[in-house]
Structures are given as structure tokens and as C-alpha cells.
Amino acid sequence: MTTTNPNLNQLFTSDTFADMIKNKLIKTVENYQVSNPQKEIYMMAWGDTTYPIPSKVVEALVDAATKLGHQSTYTGYGEFDGNIKLREAICHNYYKPRGINLKPEEIFVSDGAQSGTFGIQELFGLDNVIALQDPIYPPYLEANLLAGRNNIIYLECNDKNNFVPDIPQSKVDVIYLCFPNNPTGGVATKEQLKAFVDYARSYKSVIIFDAVYSAFITDPNIPKSIYEIEGATECAIEVGSFSKTAGFSGLRLGWSVVPVDLTIKRTVAGELTEMFRISQSIRFWGASNLAQQGGIAVLSEECQQECQEIVNYYLENARILKEGLEAFGLTCFGGTNNPYIWVKGAEGMSSWDVFNQLLFKAGIVGVPGSLFGSSGEGFLRLSTLGRREDMEKASCILMGFAAR
């Protein structure tokens, strides 16, 4: 008799992050709009981008699409680990300027950071102890639960430790770190990351480092890659993305780095890299040819200024919105070195109380911090990846309350 996957069934019968967004958050907003049709809604819940793709990238996409329409230039399947020119560009144009030397065979292109992160966990045994930041981007947790792992510990991130957790107090096998952090906006110093690298090397553990928001770092003392820390190639996998910096949230393109130097128990140098190559070849036949040509254009020297303008646009959004929130009387974290603002409610307020306060007062929609983990209770995440006019209008409304 056919039965369901018990791990998937467990998630199906519980409240996943996506279902909570759909079934509670969206319905609350819809009900509010029905009762208040004259009120404008400012959607700041999603980490989705709104700024147009750079012009050089558009040219590359049009050229690539045009070539698909001619027999002599048509291309089908590409390399399942990614276009070699794109992987070379990631090595030479993204990592090398940061003083990091990687080889193209250590780069694996995916259709976005979430797919890459999900695939990485397939490298590790189901009995491994997993350490997750709390609050955390929920799909990290859900991917491991879907795989059947249940030995999970949480590293608390709060305003007392600037949302950077201490290293685990016991031995863990895989540590998920995200800096700049989604949802808290926190960033980790070189010294803090070194402590995790030293820990991982000591215990033969692996760090999975989400660096999707690294381009938003403006402080020169904050690392943009885990590989800026000595010894990190021996213990860390890094995930990157084109979504936020080049407007690829719809095109879908990211990458994972599995260094040849990375080893764990009973493996030799290069073995995990080859294992991941095999894993990716089984479940994935490569990212879109069009998206990859766009990625090559993104990493070109002439396009980098356009990408920086996109980043600056969102950081200015964050400054504008944060100014209004603070004038309204709310305590805010993030919004610098990061496009997310982590809003703390008044004493005794739940995350949903903060959500309702901003929705009912100003029409601002965020994601309750409790959806990111127990340590997110009492907070709200706001994304500033939206349109400038929405940030300005919302901030103006908040300042209007403050002036009364």
C-alpha cells in the first residue's frame, strides 16, 4: 500500500512559513482592506525587488534570447554545474577582488539561493546535529525537517548580542549562518566569524554561510564573505545570489561554493566538491541559459556601477523608512548594511501586536518576527526592497503621528 512521506506529512499538517504567510498574514491584510477600502497599503513583507534590471543585463538577455531563435546560434542543455564563463566570472570578478582565490570547479550555479541551500543539506547524514540561528529564515529549518533530521539546536540572536549568536556550547555538525542577516538585519564582525571558523575546524563541523545580502555591507570592517576568514575554505560552504543586487528575483540565479579544501570525517580534499557535483547532476539540469548570460553581464566591470546604484537605492529606502519608524517611537535594528529593518515593539507587545499596530495606523505590512522563531517574538520584519515612493509615503504618515 502506498504511503506518504512522513517528513513531508509532518510539514503538511503543521504551519510552514509559506502557509502562515498565506493563511494568516495575507487574510488579515485582505480583511483590513475590505473594512478600510480608502486606506493605502504599503507592502513591506516580502524580500522581493522592485528596481529595474541594469541596462547592460537587459542587452545581454535580449542578445541571448535572439540567438535562441536561430539554428546556427541555438543552444539547449548547458553544464549542470553552470556556464563555465559565469563560474569564472564569479571567481575572478566577485571573489578575487575580496582577496579570495577560488576555482571554477568549486562554484555550482543554481536557480537561486534557496535551491542552492536546499541542495547542500543533501551532503550530510540524517543523524547530524544541526545548529540554526534563532530567529532564522524558515526554509533552512524546513529543508532539514523534510529530509528527516530532528536533532536541531538553536543559537539565540537578540538585541543584547546584536543578533550575532555565541558559538555552540556543545558539539554540532552543521551550522547555518546568515550575514547580513535575514530577518534581523544584523552583521557579524571578522572576530565573530573567526570564532565560528575556529570552532568548525576544531570539531570538523561545516558552516553553511548565506551571503545573499553581502553587497549591502558598507562598513569596510565587516566581511562580505566567510572566506575572508583564514581557514574558512576548510570548513565552510557559501551561498550567493543575483536576486537583490541585480533584480534577478524573477530570473532566478544564484550559486554555491563547495571548496576543494573542505573536508569532514572520513573524507579527503575534493571529495565533498565531487559529491555535490554528483548530487546536483541528479536533481538539477542547470539554470536557465538566459539567466546565466545575464549573470555574466552583471559581473562585468561596466555593470558593477549600475548594480551599486541598485544597492544604494534600497539602502536609501531603509534610511527613509527607519527615520519615520523611529520618529513614531519604535526601536529599530538593521537598515544599515542590510535592506531589512527589524522593529521591536513596546514592552509586552507580541509580534502580531506590532504587525497590527503598523497595519492599522499606517497601512504598513511586515512579517511578524515570531514566524522566524521564538526569539523573534515581539519583533516585526520590514523589507525596504520596495518602491521609493512607498517608503516616503509610509515614513511621512508615521512622522505625522509623531507630530501630533
Side-chain angles (χ1 to χ4, degrees):
M1 180 175 67
T2 305
T3 60
T4 60
N5 177 339
N7 303 321
L8 181 57
N9 192 59
Q10 179 184 352
L11 289 170
F12 175 72
T13 57
S14 65
D15 291 320
T16 64
F17 181 65
D19 282 342
M20 283 294 289
I21 295 291
K22 177 182 178 182
N23 296 330
K24 187 170 182 180
L25 190 154
I26 294 298
K27 285 185 178 179
T28 300
V29 175
E30 289 175 346
N31 291 337
Y32 177 77
Q33 285 186 297
V34 169
S35 302
N36 301 271
Q38 78 287 354
K39 293 289 288 288
E40 192 165 359
I41 297 296
Y42 304 102
M43 186 59 70
M44 301 179 190
W46 323 132
D48 197 5
T49 51
T50 55
Y51 199 94
I53 290 172
S55 58
K56 292 290 184 183
V57 178
V58 172
E59 291 175 13
L61 292 172
V62 170
D63 179 63
T66 301
K67 287 178 178 177
L68 290 176
H70 300 279
Q71 184 71 56
S72 61
T73 52
Y74 172 82
T75 54
Y77 290 128
E79 298 174 72
F80 47 71
D81 45 0
N83 184 313
I84 185 60
K85 291 184 179 179
L86 175 57
R87 288 184 282 136
E88 289 173 344
I90 292 171
C91 290
H92 300 307
N93 299 354
Y94 182 86
Y95 283 108
K96 195 168 184 180
R98 293 166 168 78
I100 300 163
N101 293 312
L102 294 172
K103 305 179 186 69
E105 56 265 32
E106 298 173 299
I107 308 294
F108 297 87
V109 177
S110 66
D111 58 352
Q114 186 155 325
S115 294
T117 306
F118 186 93
I120 287 166
Q121 57 84 26
E122 294 176 350
L123 281 172
F124 308 111
L126 298 183
D127 60 346
N128 283 187
V129 180
I130 309 297
L132 303 174
Q133 289 173 266
D134 180 14
I136 190 168
Y137 182 53
Y140 298 159
L141 169 62
E142 292 166 357
N144 279 284
L145 293 176
L146 183 58
R149 296 186 185 88
N150 52 28
N151 200 347
I152 296 171
I153 68 167
Y154 295 93
L155 308 176
E156 186 175 356
C157 302
N158 53 51
D159 48 349
K160 296 180 180 61
N161 60 18
N162 292 317
F163 305 101
V164 180
D166 295 328
I167 60 173
Q169 296 303 301
S170 57
K171 183 184 182 302
V172 300
D173 301 301
V174 180
I175 307 167
Y176 283 76
L177 295 177
C178 174
F179 291 110
N181 186 257
N182 174 15
T184 69
V187 292
T189 65
K190 187 172 184 177
E191 293 72 24
Q192 288 168 324
L193 291 181
K194 183 179 185 302
F196 276 97
V197 168
D198 290 346
Y199 172 94
R201 293 176 73 188
S202 174
Y203 286 103
K204 277 294 182 183
S205 304
V206 173
I207 296 168
I208 298 177
F209 191 78
D210 182 339
V212 166
Y213 299 95
S214 62
F216 291 88
I217 294 174
T218 57
D219 185 337
N221 298 313
I222 300 297
K224 292 187 174 184
S225 168
I226 191 71
Y227 302 128
E228 293 179 47
I229 311 302
E230 184 179 357
T233 54
E234 300 172 18
C235 65
I237 294 170
E238 183 164 288
V239 178
S241 171
F242 293 89
S243 291
K244 315 305 179 186
T245 55
F248 274 42
S249 57
L251 273 175
R252 312 303 305 137
L253 191 66
W255 72 87
S256 303
V257 182
V258 185
V260 169
D261 291 342
L262 178 69
T263 58
I264 56 176
K265 187 176 181 181
R266 292 193 293 271
T267 66
V268 297
E271 188 171 349
L272 287 172
T273 310
E274 180 63 10
M275 286 177 67
F276 190 70
R277 186 193 69 79
I278 292 170
S279 171
Q280 179 143 314
S281 71
I282 292 171
R283 61 182 161 76
F284 185 63
W285 272 89
S288 158
N289 288 343
L290 290 178
Q292 291 189 80
Q293 289 299 322
I296 293 169
V298 168
L299 292 169
S300 65
E301 185 176 347
E302 56 267 32
C303 194
Q304 285 303 293
Q305 182 57 43
E306 286 190 84
C307 289
Q308 188 59 52
E309 289 171 5
I310 294 174
V311 169
N312 292 343
Y313 176 88
Y314 292 134
L315 287 174
E316 178 64 8
N317 278 357
R319 187 198 65 78
I320 291 167
L321 182 62
K322 194 172 182 179
E323 185 178 13
L325 291 164
E326 290 178 339
F328 186 69
L330 292 168
T331 301
C332 299
F333 303 91
T336 55
N337 299 309
N338 199 305
Y340 292 115
I341 299 176
W342 191 236
V343 180
K344 186 176 184 180
E347 187 70 29
M349 291 183 72
S350 72
S351 291
W352 284 100
D353 290 337
V354 187
F355 173 87
N356 288 329
Q357 180 187 35
L358 284 178
L359 173 62
F360 299 159
K361 291 279 189 179
I364 295 173
V365 179
V367 178
S370 57
L371 299 191
F372 298 98
S374 60
S375 294
E377 185 59 84
F379 291 86
L380 183 81
R381 189 197 75 174
L382 295 174
S383 167
T384 63
L385 296 168
R387 299 180 302 167
R388 174 67 50 80
E389 61 188 87
D390 287 346
M391 303 297 151
E392 292 174 337
K393 288 180 182 178
S395 184
C396 185
I397 292 170
L398 291 166
M399 288 183 175
F401 279 106
R404 293 178 186 177

